[in-house]
Amino acid sequence: MSSREVIVLSVGGVRFVTRASTLQQFPGSRLARMVNGDDQEFKLVNGEFFVDRDGALFSYIMDFLRTLQVSLPADFSDYQRLQREAEFFGLYPLADLLSQEHLLKPKLEILEVRFSLQEMQAFFRIFGSCSTTIEALAEQITVFTGQQSGQGWNSPFSSQKTLVPLPLERPSHHDMVFLCGTEYSAGDQFVARYVSIKPDNRKLINGTNVLGLLLDTLLKDGFRLISTRTVTSEEKVECYTFERMKRAAGLAIMVNQTPESSGVAQARRSQVQKGK
């Protein structure tokens, strides 16, 4: 790579090394003009462009130029300062995205697990404030059913018999219902329901064991247990409430270069979903 393709910037004492093409993503910006030698405010000092601005905030601007996406830490709070920096550099599409602060801030997510034991069965109901989390959790949980002889939480199921997966009950987009254990069928036969929660491969019939695995799965997924309570003592319904900060959807733009635009970047806002 030639020296003309590599640009070194010293922004507020923080050194950045990047491609010239990265700084030229938006031809009308001051960074693009700097590379082209058309902005005299930015001086070359010992082969580096000296920029008297906030170096820490400039790292987010560099990330945006490289990915065309605004992705900020969960504890980020300097939206107005970063917007001001974007406007200084003439990156108005970025400034426009940052003005939508409500879309970029992480949101508190609440999830509630209700658990009750009735004779040889355990009932579960999971409610979440975020429907996408419930959808993802529903893909992890599978209930299998089959018939067996005898009864009891720990009665082994014959490997010769087939277990049939059952769909989870979904009263709404925000909750799911399932159960495990055994119930009387006919003669000495009992219908058994086992629960499996990925990535664990076990099929569990004991409700307490399923509850333990479910809570452990939620904790590993970033949730924090904030309260436990007994809803009704008569029905022995236990309620476990969790919370976590869910990262907001990142905001991205599409940059199209067309002959009619004469090399001017055209921005279009869109939302793209980030990880947990």
Side-chain angles (χ1 to χ4, degrees), residues 182-191:
T182 59
E183 62 179 339
Y184 180 76
S185 176
D188 63 346
Q189 296 294 310
F190 289 81
V191 175

Side-chain angles (χ1 to χ4, degrees), residues 168-242:
L168 299 178
E169 291 184 45
R170 296 295 307 278
S172 75
H173 293 297
H174 289 272
D175 59 349
M176 70 175 77
V177 178
F178 62 92
L179 60 88
C180 66
T182 59
E183 62 179 339
Y184 180 76
S185 176
D188 63 346
Q189 296 294 310
F190 289 81
V191 175
R193 287 186 175 86
Y194 298 78
V195 174
S196 177
I197 305 177
K198 297 176 182 178
D200 193 293
N201 293 320
R202 292 173 297 169
K203 295 180 177 63
L204 303 176
I205 195 172
N206 184 299
T208 303
N209 292 342
V210 173
L211 176 65
L213 179 58
L214 175 60
L215 300 186
D216 185 58
T217 299
L218 294 174
L219 292 172
K220 289 180 178 178
D221 201 29
F223 281 97
R224 181 172 67 94
L225 181 63
I226 58 174
S227 72
T228 60
R229 69 183 193 277
T230 300
V231 180
T232 57
S233 57
E234 295 80 7
E235 298 179 2
K236 298 181 180 179
V237 178
E238 300 173 6
C239 180
Y240 301 81
T241 304
F242 294 81

Side-chain angles (χ1 to χ4, degrees), residues 26 93-94 253-256 265-269:
F26 300 89
L94 173 58
I253 66 168
M254 300 295 293
V255 176
N256 301 315
Q266 297 177 337
R268 178 176 63 85
R269 291 192 298 272

Side-chain angles (χ1 to χ4, degrees), residues 62-81:
M62 283 302 308
D63 183 64
F64 170 76
L65 291 174
R66 289 167 175 151
T67 65
L68 298 181
Q69 183 171 313
V70 182
S71 180
L72 302 172
D75 59 350
F76 186 82
S77 60
D78 288 336
Y79 293 94
Q80 291 184 346
R81 289 183 60 212

Side-chain angles (χ1 to χ4, degrees), residues 23-252:
L23 299 175
Q24 293 170 321
Q25 285 275 21
F26 300 89
S29 71
R30 296 190 68 182
L31 292 172
R33 297 201 304 270
M34 176 191 72
V35 173
N36 298 332
D38 298 331
D39 195 317
Q40 299 304 313
E41 181 176 342
F42 303 130
K43 303 294 185 181
L44 266 175
V45 180
N46 297 325
E48 299 182 4
F49 283 101
F50 174 74
V51 183
D52 189 18
R53 303 298 293 188
D54 190 310
L57 291 178
F58 191 75
S59 64
Y60 300 117
I61 290 177
M62 283 302 308
D63 183 64
F64 170 76
L65 291 174
R66 289 167 175 151
T67 65
L68 298 181
Q69 183 171 313
V70 182
S71 180
L72 302 172
D75 59 350
F76 186 82
S77 60
D78 288 336
Y79 293 94
Q80 291 184 346
R81 289 183 60 212
L82 184 55
Q83 183 179 354
R84 186 171 66 240
E85 294 298 293
E87 291 172 347
F88 171 82
F89 288 108
L91 295 169
Y92 299 108
L94 173 58
D96 184 39
L97 296 184
L98 289 168
S99 69
Q100 303 178 73
E101 184 178 333
H102 64 288
L103 296 178
L104 290 166
K105 283 186 174 180
K107 296 176 175 58
L108 182 64
E109 181 179 357
I110 300 296
L111 189 141
E112 182 181 275
V113 176
R114 293 199 174 198
F115 168 74
S116 65
L117 287 174
Q118 297 180 15
E119 297 181 350
M120 301 307 296
Q121 291 184 305
F123 294 82
F124 294 83
R125 181 161 191 164
I126 304 174
F127 173 85
S129 60
C130 178
S131 61
T132 56
T133 296
I134 296 298
E135 291 289 347
L137 191 58
E139 292 180 359
Q140 291 180 259
I141 299 175
T142 306
V143 178
F144 297 90
T145 185
Q147 287 192 332
Q148 69 177 46
S149 299
Q151 64 176 340
W153 287 109
N154 300 309
S155 299
F157 192 85
S158 173
S159 59
Q160 302 299 319
K161 295 187 178 182
T162 303
L163 291 178
V164 179
L166 292 175
L168 299 178
E169 291 184 45
R170 296 295 307 278
S172 75
H173 293 297
H174 289 272
D175 59 349
M176 70 175 77
V177 178
F178 62 92
L179 60 88
C180 66
T182 59
E183 62 179 339
Y184 180 76
S185 176
D188 63 346
Q189 296 294 310
F190 289 81
V191 175
R193 287 186 175 86
Y194 298 78
V195 174
S196 177
I197 305 177
K198 297 176 182 178
D200 193 293
N201 293 320
R202 292 173 297 169
K203 295 180 177 63
L204 303 176
I205 195 172
N206 184 299
T208 303
N209 292 342
V210 173
L211 176 65
L213 179 58
L214 175 60
L215 300 186
D216 185 58
T217 299
L218 294 174
L219 292 172
K220 289 180 178 178
D221 201 29
F223 281 97
R224 181 172 67 94
L225 181 63
I226 58 174
S227 72
T228 60
R229 69 183 193 277
T230 300
V231 180
T232 57
S233 57
E234 295 80 7
E235 298 179 2
K236 298 181 180 179
V237 178
E238 300 173 6
C239 180
Y240 301 81
T241 304
F242 294 81
E243 70 173 17
R244 72 174 175 184
M245 293 303 295
K246 180 179 176 60
R247 291 193 63 179
L251 292 182

